[in-house]
């Protein structure tokens, strides 16, 4: 999956918490989110819309809120690909340790073949089949 296909896939399934997401889909969208946040920071600085004593601005907050649900959805689908419940995302609320655990989960290979969350996203023929 390439960059544009991954971003398009995530944004079209922006509230789709079921199914599975490939590693490439997750990481391409993470890169997209990083690039968008850099652009919004530059725009906020250039337009003077930063909040006092903060690097955040109005545009950055609006864009962050717009990307919140798609980011959560693709993270949950990525956990599903590793055959874990989406509730594991809550471990990220534990500072440092939780983030490391989630990072390990996100970089792992997905389960081969269908699992309890759906067909293997790498198996093109499996997209239309029921589990």
């Amino acid at each position: 999956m390439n960059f544009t296909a991954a971003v398009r896939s995530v944004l079209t399934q922006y509230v789709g918490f079921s199914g599975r997401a490939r590693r490439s889909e997750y990481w391409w969208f993470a890169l997209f989110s990083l690039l968008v946040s850099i652009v919004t920071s530059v725009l906020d600085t250039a337009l003077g819309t930063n909040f006092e004593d903060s690097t955040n601005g109005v545009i950055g907050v609006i864009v962050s809120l717009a990307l919140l649900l798609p980011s959560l959805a693709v993270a949950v689908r990525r956990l599903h690909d590793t055959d874990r419940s989406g509730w594991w995302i809550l471990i990220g609320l534990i500072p440092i340790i939780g983030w490391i655990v989630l990072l390990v989960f996100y970089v792992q290979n997905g389960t081969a073949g269908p699992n309890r969350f759906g067909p293997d996203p790498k198996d093109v023929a499996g997209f239309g089949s029921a589990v």
Side-chain angles (χ1 to χ4, degrees), residues 21-126:
R22 296 173 69 171
R23 240 186 330 196
S24 59
E25 181 180 1
Y26 176 80
W27 289 112
W28 281 125
F29 190 73
L31 176 64
F32 171 76
S33 296
L34 175 69
L35 294 174
V36 167
S37 71
I38 290 170
V39 169
T40 58
S41 284
V42 170
L43 281 174
D44 278 328
T45 302
L47 298 174
T49 56
N50 283 350
F51 299 124
E52 279 187 36
D53 300 328
S54 175
T55 58
N56 296 329
V58 174
I59 298 170
V61 169
I62 292 169
V63 170
S64 294
L65 287 173
L67 291 178
L68 178 64
L69 277 178
S71 298
L72 286 174
V74 74
V76 167
R77 289 194 314 270
R78 180 70 201 125
L79 289 170
H80 287 174
D81 193 40
T82 61
D83 204 21
R84 291 182 176 80
S85 168
W87 290 104
W88 273 102
I89 202 165
L90 295 177
I91 201 168
L93 296 174
I94 301 170
I96 301 171
I97 300 297
W99 306 332
I100 292 170
V101 170
L102 277 177
L103 180 64
V104 169
F105 289 168
Y106 293 149
V107 299
Q108 288 179 339
N109 284 329
T111 55
N115 68 14
R116 59 189 168 138
F117 298 105
D120 188 348
K122 289 184 180 180
D123 181 18
V124 177

Side-chain angles (χ1 to χ4, degrees), residues 2-26:
N2 63 25
F3 180 79
T4 55
V7 171
R8 186 178 304 118
S9 172
V10 172
L11 292 178
T12 57
Q13 302 177 49
Y14 70 99
V15 290
F17 287 88
S18 61
R20 296 166 62 175
R22 296 173 69 171
R23 240 186 330 196
S24 59
E25 181 180 1
Y26 176 80

